[in-house]
Amino acid sequence: MDFGLEDADLDFRRDARAWLAAHPVGGRSARDWERELGRGGWIGLGWGDGTYGNRTGTLTQQVVWGEEYARAGGPARIGHIGENLLAPTLIAYGSAAQKDRYLPAVARGEEIWCQGYSEPGAGSDLAAVRTAAVRDGDTYRVTGQKIWTSHARDADHCFVLARTDPAARRHHGLSFLLVPMRQPGRIEVRPIRQMSGTAEFNEVFFDGAEATDVVGGEGNGWRVAMGLLALERGVSTLVQQIGFEEEFARVVELAAGSGVIADPVVRQRLVDLWADLRTMRWNALRTLGAGDDPGAPSVAKLLWGRWHQRLGELAMQVRGAGATTGPAAWAPGSYELDDLQRLFLFSRADTIYGGSDEIQRTIIAERVLGLPREPR
């Protein structure tokens, strides 16, 4: 099961490959790279007819672009939350004014977004949010804390799930707000340093932060939030797997070069990882474009999260004692890791962020299998 590419798709692949070859990342900052992608029209391929300045692309061409980007060694993007989560949500639920205001800036790579969902004490229980938004005329004043917020330090805006009806409980009385991040004294961002030495995640504190845009209407935040979570699959999952394939290939090469591949246990683990990677691809292709499968995002998350951890563990086993040494001498204030060490350490979070494995299994049990709801 795979794509059959038509002539137009092959032409699109050649165009994408040529553009990427002519526009190396070089010494660009992450924000400059977003603007370069925007000038090339590569942001928002799946948004529709190009109304917002985006290039249009079929579902197949979106996958082709993702494959070429990954194979060209394109860097992790700080604009993916705005492009792949916020934009489709606005297209589905936003007003005309909201679309006209925000989508062209995302397509140009000029405005970066982050996602304000998770909170301390709530874990993966999105309905337990305590961040509150009080209406003051046409403005909402947001107070509370979000955590594990990717790219918050770079973001210009944050879409925030907040409680606008203090008397409501659980998934009732929530609203989906668009909050500008440049509000000194009202928004504070604190990076969370991880054991990999990086700080992609952040804590965000809101103290009366102002927002004027609510998507989908006040009190309808749960419906909008669930619609957004359903978008976290399909094309982006397939693209993610291209990166996984490259990481896997490096581990195989390392095992072969060191002779560890002669160990039958290592060979069996490599074969298992290869087979499971193919399974992930076929599952992503099966669900591509399907909007009515409530279990698809959870199944995909369960498949790739633990797989990526197993790959990191095997990479360290293959390295042996060398896994304990860095690419440069470690000293106070210096903490350098190579790519496979970062893979191992960062992948420990894969089964937690984006909804823990336990939450994903509960979703499948209740929404797909129809089992009794978990006691509250």
Side-chain angles (χ1 to χ4, degrees):
M1 180 181 179
D2 220 321
F3 282 106
L5 299 182
E6 300 178 353
D7 289 344
D9 302 323
L10 295 174
D11 290 341
F12 187 90
R13 186 184 292 280
R14 283 189 288 269
D15 290 345
R17 189 171 295 175
W19 189 90
L20 287 164
H23 296 79
V25 178
R28 304 175 199 265
S29 69
R31 189 175 282 270
D32 285 343
W33 178 240
E34 289 297 321
R35 294 192 185 100
E36 189 67 51
L37 290 170
R39 284 190 290 268
W42 297 108
I43 299 177
L45 294 175
W47 293 359
D49 59 5
T51 299
Y52 306 106
N54 54 300
R55 183 192 302 238
T56 60
T58 65
L59 203 56
T60 303
Q61 289 166 353
Q62 294 169 51
V63 175
V64 165
W65 164 252
E67 290 177 341
E68 291 303 319
Y69 187 87
R71 287 168 180 156
R77 292 185 46 214
I78 62 172
H80 74 93
I81 293 176
E83 177 185 8
N84 298 319
L85 297 181
L86 184 277
T89 302
L90 284 185
I91 291 170
Y93 302 102
S95 67
Q98 290 167 349
K99 297 173 191 177
D100 291 342
R101 161 62 185 89
Y102 295 110
L103 295 187
V106 173
R108 293 191 300 267
E110 293 177 354
E111 293 187 348
I112 307 302
W113 287 78
C114 61
Q115 178 180 23
Y117 272 18
S118 298
E119 295 188 2
S124 296
D125 187 2
L126 192 57
V129 299
R130 291 181 292 179
T131 294
V134 178
R135 189 166 186 171
D136 181 9
D138 294 331
T139 300
Y140 292 87
R141 301 193 181 278
V142 182
T143 301
Q145 181 185 357
K146 299 293 182 177
I147 197 167
W148 309 120
T149 308
S150 300
H151 307 307
R153 286 180 296 170
D154 301 304
D156 303 292
H157 305 277
C158 182
F159 51 89
V160 175
L161 191 64
R163 191 164 299 283
T164 47
D165 182 355
R169 294 290 178 267
R170 300 297 299 165
H171 57 275
H172 301 288
L174 300 172
S175 296
F176 190 98
L177 301 170
L178 308 182
V179 183
M181 289 292 286
R182 312 302 181 195
Q183 299 189 47
R186 292 176 175 170
I187 297 180
E188 180 185 358
V189 177
R190 298 179 190 172
I192 301 173
R193 184 177 173 85
Q194 297 140 221
M195 60 183 176
S196 61
T198 57
E200 293 90 347
F201 301 126
N202 303 269
E203 294 178 283
V204 182
F205 297 85
F206 300 94
D207 185 7
E210 295 184 351
T212 56
D213 283 301
V214 55
V215 179
E218 184 176 308
N220 293 320
W222 184 256
R223 179 172 67 94
V224 177
M226 291 299 99
L228 182 147
L229 290 176
L231 299 168
E232 295 186 278
R233 65 166 183 264
V235 172
S236 60
T237 302
L238 284 165
V239 173
Q240 177 191 53
Q241 290 163 16
I242 301 297
F244 287 171
E245 288 176 4
E246 294 181 347
E247 291 175 339
F248 176 72
R250 290 205 298 274
V251 175
V252 172
E253 181 180 4
L254 180 62
S258 65
V260 179
I261 202 166
D263 184 334
V265 174
V266 171
R267 287 203 306 274
Q268 184 60 54
R269 292 183 69 182
L270 287 170
V271 169
D272 289 343
L273 285 168
W274 177 86
D276 289 347
L277 185 57
R278 300 306 298 172
T279 299
M280 284 192 287
R281 178 171 178 81
W282 291 330
N283 180 67
L285 289 170
R286 178 183 66 84
T287 60
L288 191 62
D292 56 353
D293 185 347
S298 296
V299 170
K301 180 66 166 56
L302 286 171
L303 286 173
W304 71 254
R306 183 65 187 117
W307 183 93
H308 206 214
Q309 286 185 350
R310 287 161 50 208
L311 179 66
E313 292 163 359
L314 183 58
M316 295 301 98
Q317 179 183 349
V318 167
R319 289 276 294 277
T324 62
T325 62
W330 286 342
S334 172
Y335 186 65
E336 292 188 35
L337 301 172
D338 62 31
D339 289 344
L340 291 181
Q341 289 170 325
R342 280 193 293 270
L343 160 65
F344 169 68
L345 292 175
F346 186 83
S347 65
R348 309 318 300 168
D350 285 344
T351 53
I352 301 173
Y353 73 80
S356 68
D357 279 11
E358 292 78 7
I359 291 294
Q360 306 302 339
R361 293 189 181 98
T362 297
I363 291 172
I364 294 170
E366 295 178 358
R367 301 183 189 175
V368 180
L369 301 179
L371 298 178
R373 293 184 63 82
E374 184 178 13
R376 298 294 181 188

